[in-house]
Amino acid sequence: MNPGEPPRIVVLISGRGSNCQALHRASAEGWLGARIAAVISDRADAAGLSLAAEAGLDTVAIEPKSHPDRDAFEHALSVAIDGFEPRYVALAGFMRVLGPDFVNRYRGRLINIHPSLLPRHRGLATHRRVLEAGESEHGASVHFVTPDLDAGPVIARVRIEVDDNDTPDALADRLLPLEHRLYPATLALLLNHQVELRDDEIHIDNQALQDPLLLDRDLGRDGSLRDDFGTG
Ligand code: GRF
């Protein structure tokens, strides 16, 4: 990386890519603290890939069907990622479980946004499962990716209330705009502070994070931190 050049991030998507667009907006507005070096998709036909290309971003499609097995696919993916020398790799609706070798290669640099209040509701269909469980709150989480699916340490979350007459679609519609604020805010935090993953514990500016940050309480929408963040 040339001196004075902003850090780079690579975004991995599989679908519509609205979180990727939110990251790009934050970068273009100048407060993310990084430039999106590339958007990579495991599906050449992902709508988000065309949108990223239209926005002038570098795009790459790396499809599993072009590789003999998962190892070969993930190797090709990591070669492509590493070519852009990103500081962080952001999964944004990347619908593929990544193997431990891949995940460990990017330990502390690989993050994901998940539509639930982790550790509740790992995996798919989170909006439906929140309603089935009769829960009164829902939300989204940004976490470090570790080899266990959706189980890595959570950096920050956003919460919404669940109403009696909510449906999975209504929850998804209400949550998505908040995801679009949470993801750039969390990435800005990572890029502007010293954030480390030590033995599965998150340290921010050398202080252990006790509880995930909450957007608008501990974490400002531009990635700024409340002074007594994470103390519960
Ligand atoms: C989001 O709900 C995100 O939390 C989940 O997948 C969805 C991706 O949406 N991981 P988009 O492709 O960013 O619009």
Side-chain angles (χ1 to χ4, degrees):
M1 200 171 97
N2 297 324
E5 200 192 312
R8 292 189 276 261
I9 58 175
V10 165
V11 185
L12 266 52
I13 66 168
S14 297
R16 71 190 156 181
S18 69
N19 277 287
C20 177
Q21 283 182 286
L23 293 174
H24 179 49
R25 251 192 322 271
S27 171
E29 286 168 8
W31 56 269
L32 187 68
R35 160 176 100 72
I36 296 182
V39 179
I40 302 181
S41 178
D42 61 332
R43 298 185 52 139
D45 63 353
L49 209 56
S50 317
L51 290 175
E54 280 165 27
L57 296 172
D58 270 359
T59 58
V60 182
I62 298 180
E63 298 196 295
K65 66 182 180 208
S66 314
H67 300 276
D69 55 29
R70 183 168 101 169
D71 282 353
F73 164 71
E74 291 187 357
H75 176 71
L77 191 56
S78 66
V79 168
I81 291 170
D82 293 350
F84 293 101
E85 298 181 36
R87 184 172 301 174
Y88 287 100
V89 179
L91 306 182
F94 187 70
M95 301 304 289
R96 199 158 284 282
V97 177
L98 293 160
D101 287 349
F102 181 94
V103 169
N104 288 328
R105 179 185 185 86
Y106 299 103
R107 192 182 160 72
R109 297 167 51 214
L110 182 61
I111 60 170
N112 180 42
I113 185 160
H114 180 76
S116 81
L117 290 174
L118 290 173
R120 287 196 298 230
H121 307 301
R122 295 158 58 182
L124 298 173
T126 56
H127 310 303
R128 178 173 57 70
R129 285 156 60 207
V130 162
L131 294 173
E132 283 170 0
E135 289 168 352
S136 58
E137 62 168 18
H138 185 35
S141 310
V142 176
H143 64 98
F144 283 111
V145 178
T146 57
D148 288 333
L149 184 67
D150 300 329
V154 177
I155 309 161
R157 302 192 291 198
V158 64
R159 283 204 188 112
I160 59 171
E161 285 179 13
V162 178
D163 300 329
D164 288 346
N165 48 3
D166 259 326
T167 62
D169 283 350
L171 282 179
D173 287 350
R174 212 151 70 245
L175 190 57
L176 195 63
L178 294 174
E179 293 189 33
H180 296 163
R181 291 179 49 216
L182 177 70
Y183 212 3
T186 309
L187 250 171
L189 168 87
L190 294 177
L191 288 152
N192 294 316
H193 288 262
Q194 190 207 342
V195 182
E196 282 177 288
L197 196 54
R198 298 184 202 152
D199 298 330
D200 276 354
E201 207 179 44
I202 298 171
H203 291 251
I204 303 180
D205 298 334
N206 284 314
Q207 201 175 320
L209 184 65
Q210 305 298 330
D211 289 311
L213 302 168
L214 190 62
L215 186 69
D216 294 335
R217 186 191 68 183
D218 314 304
L219 177 66
R221 60 182 309 162
D222 59 355
S224 54
L225 269 183
R226 193 188 65 173
D227 286 348
D228 55 346
F229 71 87
T231 47

